[in-house]
Amino acid sequence: MNSPTHADLIAAALEARQRAHAPYSKFLVGAALEDEHGRIHTGCNIESASYGLTICAERTALFKAISMGVRNFRRIAVAADSPQLTPPCGACRQVLRDHCRELEVILCNPRGESKVFQLSELFPYPFHDDFLA
Ligand code: THU
């Protein structure tokens, strides 16, 4: 299967962002996670009236993919609209690291801006499963 392009992943994240359920913060986020076969798994943030139960777009995409049996990932695009490109929160960095030793993280917005990071630079010295051995 062909890999989606950088632009394809960004478009998928922006489209997923339109489906965000964020009535409290009004901060809409979309994510598009590419698996090892080039398939895209999307997610959006889903807020709860009990605010702490909110789930971020990145974890929605990751948990959807994992629940479908997918285990290996290449890239994630995260789309939001803020003055600076929005990075994954600390909780999402940990959970992404739980499932991806390394991952390309593309931050993007609806104005056509984007920047690429490696998860390892966003989340250096992670806690991970080797510590539990
Ligand atoms: N949010 C995400 O979905 N991903 C991020 O990377 C940052 C924050 C969501 C959670 C909440 O619904 C809203 O943005 C404001 O924090």
Side-chain angles (χ1 to χ4, degrees):
M1 186 186 290
N2 284 337
S3 277
T5 64
H6 183 85
D8 291 337
L9 263 191
I10 289 174
L14 287 166
E15 189 188 323
R17 179 174 175 266
Q18 301 302 319
R19 296 189 287 273
H21 177 74
Y24 310 108
S25 73
K26 314 263 194 268
F27 191 75
L28 313 181
V29 188
L33 180 64
E34 180 194 6
D35 72 22
E36 64 183 329
H37 304 294
R39 283 184 300 243
I40 297 177
H41 307 267
T42 58
C44 58
N45 55 328
I46 305 169
E47 297 185 346
S48 169
S50 178
Y51 297 168
L53 302 183
T54 291
I55 184 166
C56 293
E58 298 89 325
R59 274 175 290 148
T60 302
L62 182 66
F63 294 161
K64 276 176 62 189
I66 289 172
S67 70
M68 296 295 287
V70 182
R71 290 293 181 270
N72 296 304
F73 304 98
R74 292 176 181 154
R75 296 183 287 178
I76 188 169
V78 181
D81 194 3
S82 48
Q84 280 189 295
L85 290 164
T86 299
C89 76
C92 287
R93 293 180 200 202
Q94 175 66 50
V95 175
L96 288 169
R97 178 57 181 77
D98 289 339
H99 296 277
C100 314
R101 181 164 290 273
E102 190 54 283
L103 185 71
E104 190 176 297
V105 180
I106 303 166
L107 310 184
C108 60
N109 65 25
R111 295 186 299 283
E113 296 166 336
S114 66
K115 189 165 166 49
V116 179
F117 293 89
Q118 296 302 312
L119 181 60
S120 57
E121 60 177 315
L122 294 177
F123 197 54
Y125 196 45
F127 178 73
H128 54 75
D129 51 2
D130 287 353
F131 290 98
L132 300 171

